Amino acid sequence: SSPPPSLLLSDSHDSNESQEPDNELALVEHSYIESDMEEAANYNELSRVSNQQQSPSIWESIANEPNLCRKFAGTAGTWFLFDVLFYGNTLFEPLVLEAAFGSHGDNDGYSLLQTTVRDSLMISLLSLPGYFVTVAVIGKRTCGCCSNRRSASPNRCGFPSCVPCHQTPTFIQMQGFLFMFILYLCIGLFWVALSDIQWLLLLLYAASFFFANYGPNTTTFLLPSVTYSKNCRSTLNGLSAAAGKLGALIGSAAFAPAAEELGESTVMIFCGCVSLLALVLTKVCVKGINSGATL
């Protein structure tokens, strides 16, 4: 016997009621997904428009950089001058070693190689600590009278005329160029006399590399990063480095012909003058720009 029509209608009604909540949930879920997609699209569009408005092109950032010429002369100019000195003296090193230890013309090729490696290793060992000294003091406050400091005032010594020195990259670079100027000038002016005092010539020449490492050979890489604004920092850092490589090319190509034409003493005096120029350029163009930078 078939069920009564009222039961069939009741079952059909219950089935429709059970499907309606499922349909409603599906509609709500679909609506929620569409809302999320619309919000994400709106957010991406707003982000794109905001980036276009807030991020100018690299050339606009460079053009809007305050004191651009002065800063670039300080970073690129000093890097250029330093690489002229550093790479030129690297190739000039055999002449100084020959003056210090004599000519090795009578030795065979292997003995000459051994002697050159020994002499170069000696200069490298004397100059290498300059990097570690830079790492040890950079960012700290020091003075030239460390042994006389008062325990109550660790940044000051007992002399009233002593002023604490903040070892910023700029100040370290100035120290390096200053001592390079003094050392190159002494070597150039007393070249003939120093040729007879081999240990002193070697010591002074190695000291010039020490203060190159404790100074511009470290700080020329740092200064562009703390000098320029972040929008154009990497580009101007690269341009400063390119100026340094140009200086390396000129120094490598010019030192040997200059030594043959003018003499070793004149070349060393010229190195002293270039160091003095780099010192002045650092003082005028870079000093004070990065005083608040975080290292």
Side-chain angles (χ1 to χ4, degrees):
S1 62
S2 60
S6 59
L7 291 177
L8 292 175
L9 291 174
S10 176
D11 290 342
S12 176
H13 180 71
D14 292 341
S15 176
N16 291 336
E17 288 183 350
S18 64
Q19 290 178 2
E20 284 179 0
D22 293 340
N23 293 336
E24 290 177 358
L25 290 175
L27 289 173
V28 170
E29 183 178 359
H30 182 69
S31 176
Y32 181 77
I33 293 175
E34 284 186 345
S35 177
D36 280 352
M37 293 177 64
E38 290 178 1
E39 289 181 1
N42 292 334
Y43 177 78
N44 292 334
E45 180 67 19
L46 289 174
S47 298
R48 185 181 64 81
V49 173
S50 177
N51 289 334
Q52 288 179 350
Q53 293 176 350
Q54 297 180 3
S55 300
S57 67
I58 184 62
W59 301 115
E60 291 177 349
S61 299
I62 293 175
N64 295 329
E65 179 72 16
N67 301 315
L68 176 62
C69 294
R70 179 166 66 90
K71 290 179 180 180
F72 194 71
T75 59
T78 55
W79 205 334
F80 171 83
L81 294 175
F82 171 71
D83 276 7
V84 169
L85 297 173
F86 187 78
Y87 287 92
N89 273 286
T90 300
L91 296 181
F92 192 70
E93 185 178 307
L95 296 177
V96 177
L97 294 175
E98 182 178 337
F101 297 105
S103 176
H104 308 297
D106 297 334
N107 296 344
D108 57 26
Y110 183 71
S111 299
L112 179 60
L113 178 62
Q114 281 185 316
T115 305
T116 303
V117 170
R118 180 202 66 192
D119 299 344
S120 299
L121 180 62
M122 189 178 305
I123 290 181
S124 298
L125 290 176
L126 291 172
S127 61
L128 184 62
Y131 291 115
F132 301 105
V133 174
T134 304
V135 173
V137 304
I138 193 167
K140 298 180 180 178
R141 289 189 176 275
T142 60
C143 70
C145 323
C146 298
S147 60
N148 296 317
R149 287 182 181 172
R150 296 172 180 171
S151 58
S153 181
N155 289 331
R156 261 186 112 80
C157 66
F159 295 99
S161 60
C162 182
V163 179
C165 301
H166 190 195
Q167 296 288 344
T168 62
T170 301
F171 187 65
I172 291 176
Q173 180 164 301
M174 291 174 61
Q175 294 175 76
F177 280 131
L178 175 62
F179 284 103
M180 289 168 66
F181 162 67
I182 295 172
L183 291 167
Y184 286 139
L185 198 63
C186 290
I187 294 172
L189 292 176
F190 303 103
W191 177 267
V192 177
L194 288 172
S195 298
D196 298 327
I197 312 175
Q198 298 175 353
W199 65 270
L200 184 56
L201 175 59
L202 180 64
L203 182 62
L204 291 175
Y205 195 63
S208 70
F209 281 98
F210 173 87
F211 284 105
N213 293 337
Y214 170 68
N217 202 24
T218 302
T219 55
T220 49
F221 296 90
L222 296 177
L223 280 177
S225 298
V226 296
T227 298
Y228 302 107
S229 58
K230 64 180 181 179
N231 289 334
C232 56
R233 181 178 300 161
S234 58
T235 300
L236 292 175
N237 196 337
L239 292 175
S240 299
K245 298 310 114 181
L246 178 61
L249 177 62
I250 294 175
S252 301
F255 261 59
E260 293 178 2
E261 185 71 23
L262 304 174
E264 292 86 351
S265 60
T266 305
V267 171
M268 298 309 294
I269 293 174
F270 171 77
C271 289
C273 295
V274 173
S275 299
L276 180 61
L277 176 60
L279 171 62
V280 173
L281 203 59
T282 304
K283 171 72 174 179
V284 173
C285 297
V286 182
K287 185 172 176 57
I289 293 176
N290 64 328
S291 58
T294 301
L295 299 176

